[in-house]
Amino acid sequence: MLIVPERLIAELVSPADAFAAIEACFAAMARGEAYNFPVVREALGEGRQYGFKSGLDRAGSRLGVKAGGYFPANLARGIINHQSSVFLFDPETGRPLAMVGGNLLTALRTAAASAISIDRLARKDARVLGMVGAGHQAGFQLRAAARVRKFKRVVAWNLHPEMLPKLGAIAAELGLPFEPVSLAELGTHADVIITITSSDKASLMDAHVKPGTHLACMGTDTVGKQEVEPALLARATMFTDEVAQAISIGEAQHAVMAGLISAADIAPLGDVLIGRHPGRTSDTEITVFDGTGVGLQDLAVAGVAVLRAKERGLGITVDV
Ligand code: NAD
């Protein structure tokens, strides 16, 4: 079994690698060649969450699990709050193949999913990016979005405004003017909005968002989290990574519970990738990608890390 430690991931997997791997993963899901197993997520107390996301990708010959969670006291210890590791197994024999550090991979695969949705669903003439959230994932989201559209500026809102300068520094690195704004201003200006917060109630309201906007709602990945008003989802054309997750742990859980939409109103983004769904059909349509984060995404980027590590003779081989 190969161990690919966290410290090697940055040199092994690029945002472009993650984008290609997640596109292939969503397409395999749409073709029925790959499927996710039910998510296990447990509260450990003191705000700690732990869980397992797993699946089988026959097309990519990948079987595995990401074990990880959220540990709010970590920042005080000098490590990030989200901690995870990915384990890959041989789908034919069940033998362990690899253990891969999952922290950077999670950020890369989450940002790639959002960027794929922007690439496929946002208006081609989108010029203003709106960021709701400024935590650990937000910078990865911003960088990935900037790869797929020629944005001219970034407008941003965060519940904790003191976190915005760090995101502003990333925008500056990308050569993009950055302006902290109210949510109403953000919705007025933004052609694409990414929400990436750990909020438990809606911040972005239906009235904030103008026709033609694409939203990548990426923060809600657990029962009880919420970033946008359910009425906005009812007005939008809805896409997701996996419908079963969207209606149970994604942003759509609230609109479904309120009876505003049902599973049948949500299409997998993979359907757009394989040409089964037309995606956006007008410049005034609002499109929403409800990105809940599926296990197959983790296996896909971990697979890239293992491949690259083997090519370059990196990582640690152990007997198990
Ligand atoms: P973080 O702890 O670094 O940042 C949290 C962000 O949420 C900050 O911007 C903070 O100001 C904001 N926030 C906190 N409480 C809020 C509230 N009540 N209302 C509005 N905003 C609030 O977290 P992170 O690592 O950046 O992750 C952000 C979210 O993305 C988390 O919910 C995480 O679980 C989720 N996530 C989703 C995926 C996926 O695949 N969809 C993957 C990774 C992380």
Side-chain angles (χ1 to χ4, degrees):
M1 166 169 143
L2 184 71
I3 298 177
V4 185
E6 186 66 44
R7 66 181 156 76
L8 289 179
I9 301 299
E11 61 179 291
L12 293 175
V13 184
S14 69
D17 291 329
F19 189 94
I22 301 309
E23 267 201 333
C25 163
F26 286 168
M29 284 167 63
R31 287 194 299 265
E33 295 167 354
Y35 67 103
N36 295 288
F37 305 158
V39 175
V40 174
R41 199 156 168 94
E42 292 290 324
L44 305 183
E46 294 92 37
R48 292 167 301 155
Q49 298 271 339
Y50 199 68
F52 305 95
K53 284 187 170 178
S54 52
L56 170 66
D57 182 343
R58 292 183 206 280
S61 197
R62 270 187 296 272
L63 170 70
V65 58
K66 177 168 86 169
Y70 183 73
F71 301 84
N74 277 6
L75 271 187
R77 300 184 174 107
I79 52 177
I80 62 170
N81 290 341
H82 285 92
Q83 290 293 326
S84 62
S85 312
V86 185
F87 298 84
L88 296 177
F89 301 89
D90 183 331
E92 298 306 320
T93 64
R95 292 285 300 152
L97 294 176
M99 173 185 166
V100 188
N103 295 347
L104 178 55
L105 286 181
T106 298
L108 288 171
R109 64 81 148 144
T110 306
S114 159
I116 292 164
S117 84
I118 296 167
D119 188 38
R120 298 293 177 142
L121 298 172
R123 289 171 54 149
K124 296 280 180 243
D125 61 356
R127 291 294 174 261
V128 181
L129 174 62
M131 293 292 306
V132 177
H136 180 70
Q137 302 292 330
F140 292 93
Q141 292 283 327
L142 171 52
R143 284 183 202 280
R147 293 181 65 249
V148 294
R149 283 293 180 279
K150 290 185 169 51
F151 291 113
K152 294 270 180 260
R153 68 189 176 106
V154 179
V155 290
W157 178 89
N158 196 46
L159 183 68
H160 309 103
E162 67 280 6
M163 295 170 79
L164 285 167
K166 207 171 153 194
L167 191 61
I170 293 171
E173 238 180 72
L174 297 166
L176 292 169
F178 180 89
E179 193 186 345
V181 292
S182 67
L183 280 168
E185 287 171 308
L186 185 141
T188 303
H189 296 295
D191 305 310
V192 172
I193 299 174
I194 297 172
T195 63
I196 184 74
T197 70
S198 48
S199 175
D200 58 2
K201 64 178 195 316
S203 311
L204 192 68
M205 297 297 157
D206 185 31
H208 290 145
V209 176
K210 66 180 181 187
T213 304
H214 172 67
L215 294 99
C217 296
M218 305 304 296
T220 298
D221 56 359
T222 307
V223 171
K225 285 190 192 171
Q226 184 178 20
E227 299 191 287
V228 308
E229 189 180 14
L232 176 58
L233 304 196
R235 185 159 66 112
T237 309
M238 288 290 301
F239 299 87
T240 186
D241 37 29
E242 191 188 83
V243 175
Q245 278 198 196
I247 62 171
S248 53
I249 59 172
E251 196 58 43
Q253 64 182 286
H254 306 285
V256 168
M257 234 174 336
L260 295 175
I261 62 170
S262 71
D265 298 314
I266 311 172
L269 184 56
D271 280 3
V272 180
L273 298 177
I274 66 166
R276 191 189 286 148
H277 190 294
R280 168 180 293 278
T281 53
S282 90
D283 280 352
T284 52
E285 186 178 7
I286 293 175
T287 49
V288 169
F289 174 64
D290 185 359
T292 63
V294 296
L296 287 169
Q297 285 176 261
D298 299 302
L299 309 190
V301 285
V304 175
V306 170
L307 188 75
R308 297 267 188 277
K310 282 186 175 165
E311 282 168 0
R312 293 165 54 179
L314 296 172
I316 305 142
T317 303
V318 292
D319 278 340
V320 286

